[in-house]
Amino acid sequence: MTELKLPSIDYAALAPVLIMLGAALLGVLVEAFVPRRLRHAVQLSMALLAVLAALTMVVLAADERKITIGGAIAVDGPTLFLQGAILVLAAMALLLIGERSVERGGAFVAQAAVTAESADDRRQAEGKNGLTEVYPLTTFAIGGMLIFVAANDLLTMFIALEVFSLPLYLLCALARRRRLLSQEAALKYFMLGAYASAFFLFGVALIYGFTAGIPGRQAGVDFATIDAAVADSPASPVLLFAGMAMLAIGLLFKAAAAPFHVWTPDVYQGAPTPVTGLMAACTKVAAFGALLRVFHVAFDGARWDFTPVLGVVAVLTMLVGAVLAVTQTDIKRLLAYSSIANAGYLLVGVLAPGAGGISGTMFYLVAYGFSVLAAFAVVTLVRDADGEATHLSRWAGLGRRSPFYAGIFTFILLAFAGIPLTSGFTSKFAVFGPALEGGHAWLVIAGVLTSMVLAFPYLRVVVMMWLSEPGESTPTVAVPGGLTSAALMIGVLATLVLGVAPAPYPPSRAGRRGVAWLKAW
């Protein structure tokens, strides 16, 4: 009889994940046992404390390099940096989620089962306190993202994908106002996300088949086995290419890359704005963190095969995002197409060889996350009697009615456009520079040209705010509460600091050491 040996588990290395998932489980108990009037304060405080505790554990583990749980989780430089980025951005998103002074009762529906557009729906929209179940759902999603960027095999990555995706599907349906639009967004996201997950899982099966028969190794879907199979597998390369394609579909869907981007504008528009910010910042970090690990560790030996295909996807993504952003008349849809275009720029960094591309991509993820959360914080403040005024025509003359917040939004849009002395400029330089050095000039040219096109819709909004006269339909800007003010201040300061003084910056060293260590293992 073979003795069963359980894998060793390093709980200290897993502490950030365990803290977030533990807080999510405690949040479920809070919903069951804490009086309704106290739940908001308890849930928000517990979620923020969990994020801060997890971030502390990430910082304390800065020099850790280990693989645990039988090779399922890898703790290295990129893992720790990406986990730290997710936690910092998640803290900002939680501040926006917890805000209840901008709109009475918050941005979330008071009763999820209420029939949309009914009399009960209209009554709850007038100020009943919103659902507090959003906090355990959010912490579950954050925990899943932390696992996603640390996964060292494809099955663990798939489980993490579902752990953070399912709560997001639910969160998208919980907007206080425009309930039909919110529910439609959630249904679209769920249906398309289910298809993307199926593609990912089928790709895992094909890759497992490709790894069979490697001399001296058992078949498996851990990254070390896949890397060895790419170099020395007797199986048909058709299994490798088909598996890579299907894995890429699942990951590119989460990254909002074309042609898997079609969910993004509808979901960004329909979801509660704080949830939109969470997806735009944290989900993008998780998706590209997984892309970096899969294609720089597991499939690095097949770089000559996948680079042209992903390069075409990157150009298509930049083109679709830039061109369609020009046609948008809703500010949230405009930011959605901006997110798509930025996914294309990030793919340029993913395809850049060596540690330069890795560090540049990680820098871009952090810089973009701060800016986009600040942008959505401003969107939550521009309101009328029916809630957020997101149609672009309503923003005409906003600079004269509220010059301070119009100035902040102008600064953020200039950062998105890549103007110097903002993080948008330095982040684009961080991904285009390594790509140019790596011989991908065609991707850099496409990135520069589409950036010029994408600047037009940003500048159009700036012109509308400052050079148009405010009319009767121009909304007011609500006075932000302390939570929104804190999130907005953090986002704007980070956008400025990362543009003025971006170096020396740690991701380069962390990326070089981490990936070199993991591949050597």
Side-chain angles (χ1 to χ4, degrees), residues 257-329:
F260 316 108
H261 68 286
V262 292
W263 60 275
T264 311
D266 293 335
V267 173
Y268 275 38
Q269 183 183 21
T273 301
V275 175
T276 305
L278 175 71
M279 291 190 295
C282 298
T283 303
K284 198 169 289 291
V285 174
F288 277 96
L291 276 167
L292 286 171
R293 191 169 293 276
V294 168
F295 287 102
H296 279 266
V297 177
F299 297 118
D300 191 56
R303 176 173 294 275
W304 284 101
D305 299 301
F306 69 72
T307 295
V309 178
L310 284 184
V312 171
V313 170
V315 173
L316 180 63
T317 302
M318 292 184 281
L319 191 62
V320 167
V323 172
L324 293 185
V326 175
T327 67
Q328 299 309 305
T329 58

Side-chain angles (χ1 to χ4, degrees), residues 60 168 271 300 350 408 428 446 515:
L60 293 176
L168 291 177
D300 191 56
V350 171
I408 288 176
K428 285 185 173 63
V515 172

Side-chain angles (χ1 to χ4, degrees), residues 501-520:
Y505 207 67
S508 178
R509 297 191 297 273
R512 185 179 297 111
R513 291 199 307 265
V515 172
W517 170 83
L518 189 58
K519 285 184 69 62

Side-chain angles (χ1 to χ4, degrees), residues 333-422:
R333 293 182 71 89
L334 170 59
L335 292 175
Y337 280 105
S338 168
S339 176
I340 293 167
N342 279 279
Y345 305 141
L346 283 160
L347 280 174
V348 175
V350 171
L351 294 174
I358 297 172
S359 60
T361 302
M362 292 195 292
F363 178 85
Y364 198 120
L365 288 168
V366 173
Y368 177 75
F370 281 120
S371 299
V372 79
L373 279 168
F376 282 113
V378 175
V379 171
T380 64
L381 301 177
V382 182
R383 325 180 60 84
D384 56 20
D386 296 324
E388 295 169 357
T390 58
H391 198 280
L392 285 180
S393 63
R394 306 290 305 280
W395 288 56
L398 193 68
R400 307 200 178 185
R401 180 159 292 182
S402 182
F404 178 72
Y405 291 104
I408 288 176
F409 199 68
T410 298
F411 175 69
I412 296 167
L413 291 178
L414 292 178
F416 287 151
I419 301 301
L421 300 183
T422 66

Side-chain angles (χ1 to χ4, degrees), residues 173-219:
L174 300 180
R176 175 178 291 273
R177 301 179 185 271
R178 301 174 184 170
R179 299 279 295 130
L180 284 176
L181 188 64
S182 177
Q183 292 172 357
E184 179 187 355
L187 185 60
K188 286 180 179 178
Y189 193 21
F190 170 69
M191 294 298 294
L192 293 174
Y195 280 115
S197 297
F199 275 108
F200 187 94
L201 195 57
F202 194 23
V204 173
L206 293 177
I207 294 299
Y208 180 83
F210 177 72
T211 62
I214 311 174
R217 277 186 182 266
Q218 291 183 339

